[in-house]
Amino acid sequence: MMVIVISAPMSLIRLENLAQVFSAYLLLAVLSSVFIYFSYHFTNDLDKLYQSSVHDSLTALYNARKLDEDLGKISESNHSYSLLILDIDNFKNLNDTYGHLVGDKALEEIGIVLNNLKSDLFDYYRYGGEEFVSLVFDGTGQKTLDLAKSIHDRIAEMPLFSEEGEPLKITVSIGVAHRKPHEDMKITLLRADQALYQAKHLGKNQTVNAKGGLIFD
């Protein structure tokens, strides 16, 4: 389109048959516009398709596929990151007692909590079932521990009701791991998962750092 805009006036000046030149450039402009229109919409559709493939439909968070992609990219660098894994305590019992609609509502509400805590430093993923992961750009690991506390506090205040209107309270267990120098992020994820297992073993509703020890409940 820029070429047409620049060259059309010159061609009109230098050539005698102005009508033919004008028609030719008009046709080129129309064809270019059509090409740009379809290219834009095709690219936009591809982007929408990709976004739908990397987002969880229930919580609107990223999904496990996106997490795998991001872990791979980060592993190629030596940037400082931490991983937080969150698991809803007694989720199977919640489903069995109050039904899957209430269970889905709990997942949806946690998605809202995490989206409200979103920042340029934090990305959130629904890792699978009732597990969520936060990937945090974090030099020391302290930001991730502070985030874990905020998540505990927000979930304690989270509105959740049974189908009969009975108020329900849920808790979460969290495992945290800070990336070691040049560590593959999948190893960091494994260490965070082990810390989560320890949090469950110690009684749930608490955060455990992979460095060892109970942080807070």
Side-chain angles (χ1 to χ4, degrees):
M1 290 296 290
M2 289 299 297
V3 171
I4 293 172
V5 171
I6 294 170
S7 64
M10 297 176 61
S11 299
L12 288 170
I13 293 170
R14 295 175 60 185
L15 299 176
E16 296 181 358
N17 194 334
L18 300 182
Q20 288 185 356
V21 173
F22 180 78
S23 298
Y25 276 103
L26 180 61
L27 178 61
L28 283 174
V30 171
L31 291 175
S32 297
S33 299
V34 171
F35 176 77
I36 291 169
Y37 175 83
F38 282 106
S39 295
Y40 170 78
H41 283 278
F42 178 71
T43 303
N44 194 43
D45 288 343
L46 281 180
D47 182 64
K48 288 180 179 178
L49 183 62
Y50 173 74
Q51 290 301 324
S52 66
S53 73
V54 296
H55 279 87
D56 175 60
S57 59
L58 181 63
T59 63
L61 303 175
Y62 284 132
N63 59 21
R65 172 186 172 179
K66 176 63 171 169
L67 176 62
D68 190 61
E69 288 181 8
D70 291 347
L71 292 181
K73 291 176 184 177
I74 294 170
S75 295
E76 295 173 357
S77 69
N78 194 35
H79 296 309
S80 294
Y81 276 84
S82 292
L83 274 165
L84 176 157
I85 301 185
L86 172 160
D87 185 270
I88 302 175
D89 296 327
N90 307 312
F91 186 69
K92 183 179 183 302
N93 183 60
L94 179 73
N95 272 331
D96 292 344
T97 304
Y98 299 101
H100 289 282
L101 289 178
V102 173
D104 285 349
K105 184 62 177 176
L107 295 171
E108 186 179 353
E109 290 293 337
I110 286 180
I112 292 172
V113 166
L114 297 181
N115 273 313
N116 287 340
L117 287 170
K118 198 171 182 65
S119 81
D120 293 339
L121 299 177
F122 312 147
D123 271 327
Y124 298 98
Y125 310 78
R126 185 181 175 193
Y127 189 44
E130 67 272 24
E131 279 194 344
F132 298 82
V133 169
S134 180
L135 186 57
V136 185
F137 186 69
D138 188 355
T140 64
Q142 187 58 48
K143 290 188 186 75
T144 313
L145 295 177
D146 293 342
L147 175 61
K149 186 176 188 312
S150 296
I151 291 172
H152 277 294
D153 292 343
R154 296 286 184 92
I155 288 178
E157 301 170 354
M158 189 178 77
L160 185 65
F161 300 90
S162 70
E163 292 183 338
E164 291 75 26
E166 175 190 355
L168 304 174
K169 292 292 184 182
I170 64 171
T171 61
V172 297
S173 297
I174 297 176
V176 170
H178 184 60
R179 185 188 189 189
K180 297 177 181 178
H182 301 287
E183 182 178 52
D184 188 308
M185 287 299 293
K186 290 184 179 180
I187 302 300
T188 312
L189 179 64
L190 178 61
R191 293 194 296 110
D193 192 52
Q194 291 170 342
L196 171 63
Y197 178 81
Q198 186 180 2
K200 292 285 190 181
H201 181 71
L202 290 173
K204 306 176 182 178
N205 191 26
Q206 55 195 259
T207 294
V208 169
N209 191 345
K211 292 180 180 179
L214 174 66
I215 305 302
F216 39 67
D217 54 22

